Amino acid sequence: MSRIYNFSAGPSMLPLEVLEKAGAGITDYAGSGMSVMEMSHRSKVFDEIIVNTKALFREVLGIPEDYDVLFMQGGATAQFAAVAMNLLSGKGAADYVISGNFSNNAYKEALLFGKDIRVAGTTKDENFTRIPRQDELTLNPGADYVHICENNTIYGTKWQYVPDTGGVPLVADMSSCILSEPVDVSKYGIIYAGVQKNIAPAGMALVVIRKDLLRDPIPGTPTILNYKTTAEKDSMYNTPPCWTIFISMLVLEWIKDLGGLPEMQRRNREKAALLYDYLDSTDFYVAPNLPADRSLMNVTFRTQSEELDAKFAKESAADGMSNLKGHRSVGGMRASIYNAMPKEGVEHLVAFMKEFEKNNG
Ligand SMILES: *Cc1c(COP(=O)(O)O)cnc(C)c1O
């Protein structure tokens, strides 16, 4: 077996222990004589898996009783539409804080359905190198909801505070930071996340929704995007992504066994500090973001030239690391260091960066 350190932003690394456990039962799961990939979603064996997975999400994330846990398809992008279609009332008003690429996509999607969709704050003219401060937000008190993207996967920034929305439900896209640290779910109306960054293989979004927000969606909403129906049908209105749910369960068990989200946070802080401390100690690399708003999951940096950036990507790949090239829209480098990235992987990267600096500085 030869595994490399995979710094992909998503789909991304899964814990080796989880892959091995899944592999061990891949042809005969728990004496069922079949793979989880082959079994009916209405079977008793799968029912145990989905019930257990929901319970584990509740336990690990600390989801209060007055919230529902939904599994939906179409990734986080389908949620851009679902949020708007399910939460917009007759006035069709929502506030979007634009702190990067995905929050902008969510905003554009809401424009398809709303009448009064506003930009409540943005750091676009600073290249999204920081998160807007509370005093920079202009919130509409009559909005149906406020939308933020909690961790900006492409730009490498993260909200360090939960904005005060004055009672308007707060909706957060947590695709790239879910399960990376403890979160106070009660401060949010909806938390959603595509699972392929920090939970499971692609194919699903986790939606945690306060029950009073399970309303009738706007007319014309496809049933598959209807939160209320999804909740009533226990996320089995149609065939769910069984395998993705199964791997979510194994990942949640892995997190729980290690000590839950406080331990994930401790590990993630430790890993990110290895990179940021080094970046701060040298002029060879540039870390563009405001230090206070730096993401623990996606670390962005670059050298002084595009030629060197390209060389870095090429040579790091030859040194057992993949996907360190930054997103095509921003260039430079990006190291995505989700829960499953071991500390040794980050140490390996920092050692490579030092060597690269020595040879090219
Ligand atoms: C990856 C990502 C998305 C898009 O997810 P899909 O599942 O591909 O639709 C949306 N938001 C954030 C924050 C992401 O990191």
Side-chain angles (χ1 to χ4, degrees):
M1 183 179 72
S2 155
R3 302 251 313 153
I4 59 173
Y5 293 122
N6 175 8
F7 292 89
S8 169
S12 37
M13 280 186 85
L14 286 163
L16 183 58
E17 296 90 326
V18 166
L19 294 176
E20 285 175 339
K21 208 166 171 184
I26 202 154
T27 53
D28 178 7
Y29 174 71
S32 65
M34 62 180 87
S35 172
V36 174
M37 283 185 261
E38 302 169 298
M39 61 182 56
S40 163
H41 60 294
R42 307 281 176 199
S43 65
K44 191 168 169 293
V45 187
F46 185 72
D47 186 61
E48 272 170 27
I49 291 172
I50 191 169
V51 167
N52 191 22
T53 308
K54 279 188 201 164
L56 280 164
F57 268 120
R58 281 196 181 277
E59 183 182 347
V60 171
L61 267 168
I63 300 171
E65 270 307 307
D66 57 328
Y67 286 73
D68 254 321
V69 176
L70 314 179
F71 301 145
M72 299 181 77
Q73 296 183 62
T77 304
Q79 292 307 310
F80 297 164
V83 163
M85 298 182 103
N86 284 276
L87 293 198
L88 287 173
S89 66
K91 63 193 169 193
D95 281 343
Y96 279 74
V97 183
I98 300 182
S99 57
N101 166 77
F102 290 113
S103 43
N104 190 49
N105 288 355
Y107 165 71
K108 284 192 296 189
E109 195 72 6
L111 290 175
L112 299 174
F113 309 104
K115 291 181 232 162
D116 187 11
I117 308 296
R118 304 184 191 176
V119 177
T122 182
T123 45
K124 186 172 194 300
D125 59 4
E126 291 166 62
N127 250 328
F128 300 124
T129 49
R130 65 177 184 88
I131 299 290
R133 295 184 307 269
Q134 176 81 48
D135 64 19
E136 294 175 302
L137 305 180
T138 46
L139 297 168
N140 167 12
D144 293 314
Y145 63 91
V146 177
H147 181 281
I148 65 170
C149 178
E150 189 99 2
N151 185 78
N152 295 291
T153 322
I154 292 176
Y155 291 89
T157 56
K158 158 115 190 2
W159 286 71
Q160 309 293 341
Y161 70 100
V162 181
D164 179 357
T165 58
V168 174
L170 178 64
V171 177
D173 176 356
M174 292 198 190
S175 296
S176 51
C177 59
I178 191 86
L179 301 179
S180 67
E181 58 184 24
V183 50
D184 183 352
V185 174
S186 71
K187 293 209 161 98
Y188 300 83
I190 294 180
I191 291 169
Y192 67 89
V195 296
Q196 73 274 23
K197 313 282 165 61
N198 220 2
I199 309 180
M204 190 170 93
L206 166 74
V207 180
V208 178
I209 178 168
R210 215 173 59 214
K211 287 178 181 166
D212 63 288
L213 297 174
L214 294 166
R215 305 171 181 153
D216 288 323
I218 59 176
T221 299
T223 312
I224 197 71
L225 291 180
N226 185 319
Y227 287 151
K228 221 171 144 187
T229 306
T230 307
E232 281 163 9
K233 300 287 181 188
D234 291 325
S235 300
M236 291 232 257
Y237 174 72
N238 74 331
T239 316
C242 301
W243 181 254
T244 295
I245 291 169
F246 172 61
I247 302 294
S248 306
M249 181 182 88
L250 298 186
V251 167
L252 287 160
E253 284 171 348
W254 176 79
I255 292 174
K256 195 179 146 181
D257 286 348
L258 289 174
L261 298 188
E263 173 61 13
M264 287 301 117
Q265 180 178 49
R266 188 195 66 74
R267 290 175 176 221
N268 290 326
R269 282 182 174 160
E270 189 181 27
K271 285 186 289 176
L274 288 173
L275 269 165
Y276 287 125
D277 287 350
Y278 173 57
L279 286 168
D280 287 342
S281 74
T282 165
D283 293 328
F284 180 76
Y285 298 101
V286 181
N289 296 332
L290 183 73
D293 288 350
R294 285 168 169 172
S295 167
L296 296 183
M297 297 284 98
N298 312 98
V299 178
T300 51
F301 58 96
R302 53 185 158 77
T303 66
Q304 309 286 348
S305 80
E306 283 180 24
E307 290 70 40
L308 275 182
D309 289 349
K311 194 172 176 210
F312 186 103
K314 202 170 150 210
E315 292 184 3
S316 60
D319 191 37
M321 295 176 285
S322 71
N323 292 298
L324 282 163
K325 197 165 178 287
H327 190 267
R328 59 193 179 279
S329 63
V330 292
M333 274 76 74
R334 172 177 54 174
S336 293
I337 49 174
Y338 299 114
N339 287 349
M341 171 62 68
K343 187 177 161 194
E344 295 72 38
V346 182
E347 286 168 343
H348 189 89
L349 171 59
V350 172
F352 172 85
M353 288 169 74
K354 288 181 180 168
E355 189 65 22
F356 190 83
E357 173 175 350
K358 212 165 78 195
N359 296 336
N360 299 280

